[in-house]
Amino acid sequence: MKKSGWLVGMYLLMGTAHAAVIEKIPQAAGSPDLIVITGVIESSDDAQFNQIAATTGQAVVLLNSGGGSVLPALEIGRAIRLKGFATAVANETLCASACALTWLAGAPRLAGESANIGFHASYVVNDGTASESGVGNALIGAYLNQIGLSQDTIVFVTTAPPEGMAWLSGEKASELGLQFASYQTNAMSSDTVETQIAPEPYDPMKVVAAFYNALSNADGVSAASLVIPEKRGIGPFNEASIHSFFGGLSTPLRLESIARHGDDKTVATYTYARSDGSVCKGRSEVQTIYKYGKTLVSKIRALDGC
């Protein structure tokens, strides 16, 4: 399947803008507002959230995100706890990594029976410096302590595996003493909440463009948030490795084109120059899958050796 030049260019442009969409959806009188956060959490999203949060007194923050930058996620969580908002993850949706840290701040926390809430070790970027552990765990630990979580929960979250995902089950939550409720215990029914999250269409072109634009910015966290959770932290999907390799290039990766090859494969063409000046003009076949209501990268195969 071929795309015209202007359409491919549009996909490349769309790929550069993958910050979360944050919107308030007013509800009937007497019911809390909905504040919906969808997509990758980026550096300016906490400021946008605070502006919206200031316009409501009572809200349920509905989360649908594969993750993103840790520091703004923590700031959103602090604002949620300060305002006394509830947090929720709907059935068949994903709230992983940084998103899960935000969800923990809810009072109360709500989750559908088939919600997917997962924790994954990742680095934080503070004043331009990436920290995989130490500083990162200290910041996350301080946040978790601030929102009143138990020591067992803090240990569980800060020791999440660097690869794959530690999923929060009802059994694990009980073991940790981490309380959360179903939607039916809230004034807003689960049906009402779920209607606010329409499944995203399967769109490999858009997701692959966003993934490679994250590589061009050496943004390992954003790139990994577009990867199937079970493979995060492994090989080419390791956030710290992405940041180190692509941040060390003398000429950043430039995505030249993307083309659809069959139902689940896309070929990306790109260039970059290594620190020694050698140039890569490469192509990769990117396989995608539709899971958790999202299009996610599941496999990458280099076609030209780089």
Side-chain angles (χ1 to χ4, degrees), residues 42-304:
E42 292 289 355
S43 59
S44 61
D45 289 338
D46 53 326
Q48 183 185 0
F49 178 84
N50 284 333
Q51 290 178 347
I52 292 173
T55 67
T56 185
Q58 186 180 16
V60 175
V61 180
L62 193 59
L63 297 154
N64 180 16
S65 170
S69 297
V70 172
L71 294 181
L74 301 186
E75 290 306 313
I76 292 172
R78 289 189 176 97
I80 287 171
R81 179 50 61 101
L82 182 64
K83 294 282 288 186
F85 291 164
T87 53
V89 181
N91 283 320
E92 302 299 328
T93 55
L94 177 67
C95 180
S97 194
C99 175
L101 294 174
T102 298
W103 174 80
L104 287 171
R109 307 175 196 94
L110 309 172
E113 290 183 2
S114 59
N116 300 279
I117 301 170
F119 297 91
H120 166 71
S122 62
Y123 67 85
V124 297
V125 178
N126 193 16
D127 295 328
T129 301
S131 300
E132 292 182 67
S133 58
V135 171
N137 277 342
L139 291 170
I140 294 170
Y143 160 80
L144 297 174
N145 184 66
Q146 184 180 0
I147 62 175
L149 297 188
S150 69
Q151 182 175 340
D152 287 343
T153 301
I154 293 172
V155 171
F156 171 73
V157 172
T158 56
T159 57
E163 60 283 316
M165 195 68 60
W167 299 108
L168 183 67
S169 64
E171 181 180 356
K172 186 63 179 180
S174 296
E175 179 185 323
L176 297 171
L178 180 65
Q179 296 183 343
F180 67 90
S182 67
Y183 291 135
Q184 286 77 5
T185 62
N186 191 21
M188 184 175 298
S189 72
S190 60
D191 290 340
T192 303
V193 173
E194 288 175 23
T195 58
Q196 305 301 330
I197 295 187
E200 299 175 8
Y202 182 54
D203 195 344
M205 295 280 284
K206 180 179 179 180
V207 168
V208 171
F211 179 81
Y212 277 92
N213 276 283
L215 298 187
S216 72
N217 293 319
D219 185 352
V221 169
S222 293
S225 70
L226 300 168
V227 172
I228 187 169
E230 292 81 358
K231 289 192 175 181
R232 293 184 190 177
I234 302 172
F237 304 136
N238 181 276
E239 295 98 314
S241 296
I242 290 171
H243 177 78
S244 176
F245 179 81
F246 290 97
L249 298 176
S250 60
T251 301
L253 180 144
R254 175 182 173 83
L255 181 60
E256 301 289 349
S257 66
I258 50 176
R260 189 83 172 266
H261 282 218
D263 292 337
D264 63 351
K265 293 183 176 65
T266 301
V267 172
T269 303
Y270 48 84
T271 62
Y272 60 79
R274 303 176 182 86
S275 57
D276 63 4
S278 60
V279 175
C280 165
K281 295 183 178 180
R283 294 176 305 138
S284 287
E285 180 184 79
V286 184
Q287 189 167 344
T288 53
I289 188 172
Y290 191 75
K291 196 170 184 180
Y292 310 115
K294 299 179 181 298
T295 306
L296 297 168
V297 174
S298 61
K299 185 177 181 180
I300 296 178
R301 181 169 68 93
L303 301 177
D304 298 320

